[in-house]
Amino acid sequence: MGKHASSGKYAIVGLGVVAGPQPDRSERMIAAEAARLAIADAGLTRADIGGAIDLRRTGGGGDRASYSDAFTRVLGIKNNFYFTCGRGGALAGLGMAATMSYLDRGIADYVVLMGAVTDWSQSQETRKKGFRGMAHAEKRGYWGKPLGDSRAVSHHSWMAARHMAVYGTTSAQLGAISVAERQWACMNPEAKMYGRPITVEDHQNSPLVAEPYHLLDMSQVSDGGIAFILTTADRAKDCAKPPVYVLGQGFGEVSADLWWEKKNFTHMAVEPAKKQAFGQADITLDDVDCAQLYDCFTAEVLFQLEDYGWCKKGEGGAFVADGNMAPGGSIPVNTGGGLLSCYHLGDLTGLAESVRQLRGEAGERQIEDCDIVLTTGHGGELVSPGMCSIHTCTLLGRHA
Amino acid sequence: MNINPQSYTVDLDWKKPYPSIDHDNEAFWDGLKEHKLLVWKCKQCGAVYWPKAYCQNHDNEPFAANCEWTEASGRGKIFAFNIHHWAFHPGFKEEVPYVYALIELDEGPLISSQLVGGDLPTDIHTVGQTVEIVYEDHPAQGFTLPKFRVVRE
């Protein structure tokens, strides 16, 4: 077969991160700052940027910003295009796919992709009104709202529950995922939970939120912004930092599965996405040095470990309990702490970590000889029982 | 709350989120008010859907011509469930802990709702319990909510 013609043809050359609570900044100011940092990181100027994509959640967390107040205007980018892109937590994967088309046709030489959220700040406001969680989750529009389906955890926890019922997976095994990610976070000074290690016992003792999920099965609620600069491989060589090449990308949807086939409650749409991405890159799972798997809740990590084939379906619980995804394990997963322990900026969290690992910028948690990283995203419309129907798989490499 | 009848009336101020009733599901919500659980059935092959969709088994156009709302048995089995210990919305404060279940209707489709009454499941690893619909009428609000209770077999 060999590599697809597109493999290694595009690269991430800039990364900008604004992390931690931003109570005094609007979403668009966070966005503009992340973009500014990414442009500087690439050794470029605002004038070089030809297009911008605003990575924005849809469904449960979407359509809450004023699109006309684009961060590009704030920052003074004279871009040829600007649009919003995303689906639940599948943001960067989709945005990158679109970007490559613009680069390919010379519509822009450098494109900035940016995602910003103020979920943490919003949660502080909603708490004053007696609600838990983010204000935008209060909007109408999905089935179970009057029936007690209040938050993402209301239906995501079924996926864990179903896996537990079908395969005998235990809450303590899910806890091992939380513990492993916290171990990674404790090596990442940027992580929310840096310096706060936990044990499986801590996980078991954390409050039950929507059983089987404890508080420590759930991802962070965060403020922040992450921006990337993408360009073509030939231009990438002249940028300030080592290029991170896009080796392959794949996508899968199980929206029909989850409504009608009832299969997706113990798996993600990995199969088609994996086939496409690994086919383009012409590599196998053994070539992957570490993985940044979308982890809005613990069970999603378990599903993906099984779906990609690091272990068999149903054996994910034992696999994680054996420490396979933790530091020193057979497949390091979510090496920056992930959404569970670092911060929640959709799949941008994992993508930022992938870039750092491939550049050798990951400090204490750096994976030795890290050549290839797998990053995933997923998202849906939060219309229970359907959720997380899309899965994105992005393979990045140190070498084209 | 121990609920025995097939339906009960709650005529208080509504403090929870309202149901989203639109063109696609208006008939479904009207059915609930008459204490009927409607599902969307293909007249050609008998496949049953909820919510409304094109039949997945064959091309069917125009959209509405091949399918119709039909009354379901109102019975099903628990496919997965969770127990909400936190009330994210203040309207649920007095109900926690409550069981929110994914139910596989006897006709096939999945539907989700809160379980009410006694015999509520507690072990997440145990699924497949038989449930049946309980109609929670809210006449002052003009809608009926479909809830489910565990049936002792």
Side-chain angles (χ1 to χ4, degrees):
Chain A
M1 285 286 284
K3 275 187 183 185
H4 188 268
S6 64
S7 185
K9 208 174 158 191
Y10 310 96
I12 296 172
V13 293
L15 171 65
V17 177
V18 176
Q22 308 286 327
D24 302 322
R25 268 182 179 160
S26 69
E27 199 174 278
R28 83 182 64 87
M29 287 302 169
I30 296 170
E33 178 62 5
R36 187 188 69 80
L37 291 170
I39 294 165
D41 184 60
L44 300 170
T45 68
R46 284 176 285 187
D48 295 316
I49 304 301
I53 302 181
D54 193 339
L55 304 174
R56 196 164 282 282
R57 289 171 306 186
T58 51
D63 51 285
R64 66 189 187 282
S66 165
Y67 293 161
S68 61
D69 260 328
F71 72 92
T72 50
R73 177 186 59 76
V74 175
L75 193 57
I77 294 172
K78 292 181 175 60
N79 46 305
N80 295 326
F81 62 88
Y82 167 93
F83 61 94
T84 61
C85 175
R87 174 160 162 72
L91 306 166
L94 294 167
M96 286 170 69
T99 298
M100 289 184 252
S101 163
Y102 286 87
L103 293 172
D104 197 40
R105 290 178 286 162
I107 295 166
D109 294 341
Y110 304 89
V111 176
V112 58
L113 294 100
M114 187 292 311
V117 292
T118 53
D119 293 335
W120 184 83
S121 293
Q122 285 185 59
S123 74
Q124 302 309 299
E125 291 304 309
T126 50
R127 193 163 281 215
K128 289 175 195 161
K129 296 173 193 153
F131 295 80
R132 282 179 189 264
M134 299 165 269
H136 58 72
E138 285 315 312
K139 71 186 185 127
R140 291 168 67 173
Y142 64 84
W143 158 251
K145 283 256 152 162
L147 299 161
D149 186 341
S150 299
R151 290 291 183 271
V153 71
S154 298
H155 30 277
H156 276 266
S157 54
W158 285 329
M159 302 177 84
R162 184 69 189 166
H163 202 279
M164 289 168 75
V166 174
Y167 299 110
T169 306
T170 66
S171 169
Q173 287 174 332
L174 296 177
I177 294 167
S178 203
V179 170
E181 295 203 19
R182 189 63 65 90
Q183 286 177 278
W184 288 114
C186 286
M187 293 189 275
N188 180 8
E190 196 179 75
K192 174 89 173 286
M193 293 299 167
Y194 179 69
R196 295 172 64 181
I198 54 167
T199 62
V200 171
E201 196 180 9
D202 292 331
H203 170 272
Q204 293 293 290
N205 291 335
S206 70
L208 279 166
V209 177
E211 208 175 332
Y213 277 155
H214 293 257
L215 184 63
L216 288 177
D217 286 297
M218 296 162 62
S219 48
Q220 297 297 315
V221 173
S222 308
D223 289 347
I226 298 180
F228 302 92
I229 310 296
L230 245 80
T231 189
T232 51
D234 55 328
R235 289 190 184 90
K237 292 186 181 72
D238 300 327
C239 287
K241 294 283 180 71
V244 169
Y245 296 97
V246 184
L247 303 182
Q249 273 206 307
F251 304 89
E253 271 277 358
V254 284
S255 53
D257 277 8
L258 60 89
W259 282 105
W260 321 121
E261 310 292 335
K262 302 158 205 163
K263 286 188 302 198
N264 95 317
F265 288 88
T266 53
H267 81 111
M268 302 279 157
V270 168
E271 195 183 342
K274 181 190 172 189
K275 193 178 168 194
Q276 296 154 26
F278 281 75
Q280 289 160 22
D282 195 25
I283 62 164
T284 69
L285 201 61
D286 289 339
D287 297 316
V288 174
D289 296 304
C290 68
Q292 314 302 333
L293 305 179
Y294 196 80
D295 56 332
C296 45
F297 298 91
T298 48
E300 276 76 3
V301 177
L302 194 80
F303 290 12
Q304 291 175 82
L305 287 168
E306 296 172 346
D307 293 342
Y308 274 99
W310 280 293
C311 61
K312 287 184 183 148
K313 183 52 72 182
E315 294 177 3
F319 186 77
V320 293
D322 287 344
N324 280 294
M325 62 175 277
S330 61
I331 176 66
V333 173
N334 296 347
T335 51
L339 307 183
L340 292 173
S341 280
C342 186
Y343 44 65
H344 195 327
L345 274 113
D347 58 343
L348 286 87
T349 300
L351 194 62
E353 177 64 10
S354 298
V355 169
R356 284 172 171 161
Q357 287 288 351
L358 289 164
R359 284 177 173 180
E361 292 177 350
E364 196 190 340
R365 64 188 190 279
Q366 179 66 46
I367 305 299
E368 214 177 319
D369 298 324
C370 186
D371 287 330
I372 295 178
V373 181
L374 185 157
T375 310
T376 70
H378 70 225
E381 62 277 32
L382 293 182
V383 182
S384 68
M387 63 281 183
C388 291
S389 59
I390 194 168
H391 180 84
T392 70
C393 172
T394 301
L395 289 167
L396 299 173
R398 188 153 60 127
H399 310 287
Chain B
M1 182 163 54
N2 192 16
I3 292 162
N4 287 317
Q6 294 294 325
S7 67
Y8 57 99
T9 300
V10 181
D11 204 358
L12 301 167
D13 286 348
W14 184 249
K15 292 187 176 129
K16 294 175 183 171
Y18 284 87
S20 292
I21 301 174
D22 59 26
H23 292 303
D24 286 347
N25 63 26
E26 198 174 8
F28 172 81
W29 286 98
D30 283 346
L32 290 174
K33 280 197 279 189
E34 295 166 26
H35 293 182
K36 287 177 184 169
L37 177 67
L38 300 181
V39 288
W40 186 244
K41 187 173 183 176
C42 176
K43 288 189 263 186
Q44 290 182 20
C45 69
V48 176
Y49 302 93
W50 185 88
K52 204 172 185 176
Y54 280 78
C55 181
Q56 310 287 299
N57 298 327
H58 49 263
D59 287 335
N60 49 164
E61 53 179 346
F63 177 52
N66 293 1
C67 294
E68 62 187 351
W69 288 107
T70 180
E71 193 175 350
S73 64
R75 288 173 74 94
K77 291 194 178 345
I78 295 176
F79 188 79
F81 70 95
N82 58 46
I83 305 169
H84 276 62
H85 293 263
W86 285 15
F88 291 92
H89 186 285
F92 292 94
K93 255 181 190 147
E94 272 128 55
E95 293 174 19
V96 288
Y98 64 86
V99 176
Y100 191 60
L102 188 55
I103 293 150
E104 185 175 12
L105 295 173
D106 285 354
E107 291 78 10
L110 294 169
I111 192 170
S112 60
S113 189
Q114 194 178 344
L115 298 186
V116 293
D119 279 339
L120 294 177
T122 55
D123 180 359
I124 300 291
H125 287 88
T126 310
V127 294
Q129 302 91 331
T130 301
V131 294
E132 70 178 5
I133 194 165
V134 176
Y135 298 97
E136 187 183 281
D137 294 321
H138 295 272
Q141 314 301 333
F143 57 79
T144 292
L145 294 178
K147 297 202 172 176
F148 286 82
R149 65 176 173 184
V150 175
V151 179
R152 209 188 280 269
E153 289 181 289

